[in-house]
Amino acid sequence: MKGKVLFLSVLMTLISGSIWGQTKDVMVIERPQRVVINNSGDTIIVQVEGKEGNPEFRYSHQAVLASDVPVVKKEKQRDWDFQIPFKKEEIKQKAHHNFNMRGIGVGLVTALNAPNDMNVDMGASYEIMAPSILEWEYCLTGGKNSFAIGLGIAWKNYRMTGRNCFVKEKQNVVLGTYPEEADIKFSRLKVFSWTLPLLYTYKFTRKVSFKVGPIVNFNTHASLKTHYKLEGENVKLTDNNIHQSRVTVDLFATFKVSAVGVYVKYSPCKVLNTDFGPDFSGLSTGLTLFY
């Protein structure tokens, strides 16, 4: 209210003296109930209703502006209390948990530390995965950090397209060669897994996030398939009992923007039981969608 009194004092001074060239008078009206300023053309009318101790008080002043005096108009503003608006503190998201259905990933696979004769073609080898068909996620306070455990599936195909192939000899998987006149297609080793991802996620924004953690694989099925042509006839050799490692662990990381992400997965564990087959591990990289 002191701001109002100061404003009215200055206004009265301007009206009664400095603008119109009249004798300077100052009228102070303490705590007016209502002030009306009417600007009509070159005429200003100031009306005051009520004051401290006298609600019946009325005051009116009319002045004519000189033609060379500029007039400044102001829109209606808030009360003259000079309050500084402060932005309200954002309400932080509370800790909570969710059940989610995640998307898929598709990538290329290569063999690491494999024997010299095992030339896996990464451009022809692929991985298809849905690591978290069903997932339970726990989000910490603030919503940026979360931990999740899920259940999913994955296929890995290690494919050779050169002169060597996978061959099953009795109980063992060995590296062999095609018949001399064979028209070579491919020889591949495929592993099917049920997956149990244990992942940490950090959300930079609502659409940008980073996910990292181990994925436990329960490798329930694996097979060999070699395909070539010989004397114009298609030849396909298959075998299912190849002694894959039953449980393996992958180290997984992905960076996602909106619905699309890029991932890398390092598999330090041996793909096959080395008592029955070649000693090698794996590495894959590719794209995720809605994961």
Side-chain angles (χ1 to χ4, degrees):
M1 294 301 296
K2 293 181 179 180
K4 291 182 179 179
V5 175
L6 176 61
F7 165 72
L8 289 174
S9 300
V10 174
L11 181 64
M12 294 298 105
T13 302
L14 292 175
I15 292 176
S16 59
S18 61
I19 294 180
W20 295 280
Q22 299 176 3
T23 304
K24 296 182 180 180
D25 290 325
V26 176
M27 173 178 288
V28 178
I29 302 175
E30 297 286 350
R31 294 183 175 82
Q33 294 178 351
R34 186 166 181 259
V35 178
V36 178
I37 301 175
N38 187 1
N39 182 7
S40 178
D42 59 354
T43 303
I44 289 182
I45 302 175
V46 179
Q47 295 176 318
V48 181
E49 300 177 2
K51 69 176 182 178
E52 185 178 19
N54 185 4
E56 303 300 324
F57 174 82
R58 297 291 184 273
Y59 176 82
S60 178
H61 185 88
Q62 177 176 322
V64 178
L65 292 173
S67 60
D68 58 347
V69 176
V71 178
V72 179
K73 295 183 179 180
K74 281 193 174 182
E75 299 293 333
K76 182 178 181 181
Q77 299 181 5
R78 298 175 61 182
D79 292 341
W80 290 71
D81 55 5
F82 299 100
Q83 292 182 356
I84 300 175
F86 291 96
K87 182 180 179 180
K88 293 183 178 180
E89 183 180 358
E90 295 183 0
I91 299 176
K92 290 186 177 181
Q93 193 177 60
K94 294 182 179 179
H96 62 283
H97 66 88
N98 302 313
F99 286 97
N100 306 311
M101 294 184 66
R102 299 293 186 185
I104 63 171
V106 178
L108 302 177
V109 181
T110 189
L112 299 178
N113 304 314
N116 292 332
D117 293 339
M118 184 177 162
N119 299 314
V120 171
D121 184 354
M122 188 173 185
S125 304
Y126 61 89
E127 174 183 48
I128 301 173
M129 63 176 182
S132 299
I133 296 175
L134 181 63
E135 175 189 86
W136 178 79
E137 179 185 32
Y138 182 75
C139 300
L140 303 182
T141 301
K144 288 187 174 293
N145 301 277
S146 64
F147 297 88
I149 181 171
L151 178 65
I153 55 177
W155 292 265
K156 290 181 183 178
N157 288 267
Y158 299 89
R159 182 177 292 207
M160 295 192 295
T161 56
R163 295 187 178 274
N164 296 327
C165 59
F166 295 106
V167 178
K168 180 73 178 294
E169 291 184 352
K170 296 183 180 180
Q171 295 296 315
N172 300 322
V173 175
V174 298
L175 300 174
T177 59
Y178 294 90
E180 186 174 346
E181 301 299 327
D183 181 8
I184 297 170
K185 299 301 182 182
F186 65 85
S187 182
R188 65 106 176 106
L189 185 155
K190 180 175 70 175
V191 180
F192 171 79
S193 309
W194 289 96
T195 60
L196 187 72
L198 305 165
L199 302 178
Y200 161 77
T201 300
Y202 180 80
K203 294 182 179 179
F204 298 94
T205 67
R206 187 172 62 88
K207 293 186 176 182
V208 180
S209 63
F210 175 74
K211 195 185 302 282
V212 66
I215 297 179
V216 181
N217 305 295
F218 300 94
N219 306 310
T220 58
H221 180 76
S223 65
L224 298 179
K225 183 176 182 179
T226 299
H227 184 198
Y228 60 92
K229 278 187 176 183
L230 185 62
E231 297 179 353
E233 297 292 329
N234 284 319
V235 179
K236 294 181 181 179
L237 304 175
T238 61
D239 202 298
N240 292 322
N241 185 21
I242 63 172
H243 300 282
Q244 73 277 11
S245 297
R246 294 296 179 179
V247 180
T248 57
V249 177
D250 298 338
L251 303 179
F252 175 81
T254 181
F255 180 79
K256 186 181 75 169
V257 178
S258 191
V260 179
V262 294
Y263 80 88
V264 62
K265 186 195 293 185
Y266 171 55
S267 307
C269 300
K270 306 304 180 182
V271 175
L272 299 177
N273 183 335
T274 55
D275 290 337
F276 297 93
D279 183 351
F280 71 99
S281 54
L283 176 71
S284 58
T285 184
L287 299 176
T288 60
L289 184 64
F290 298 107
Y291 184 69

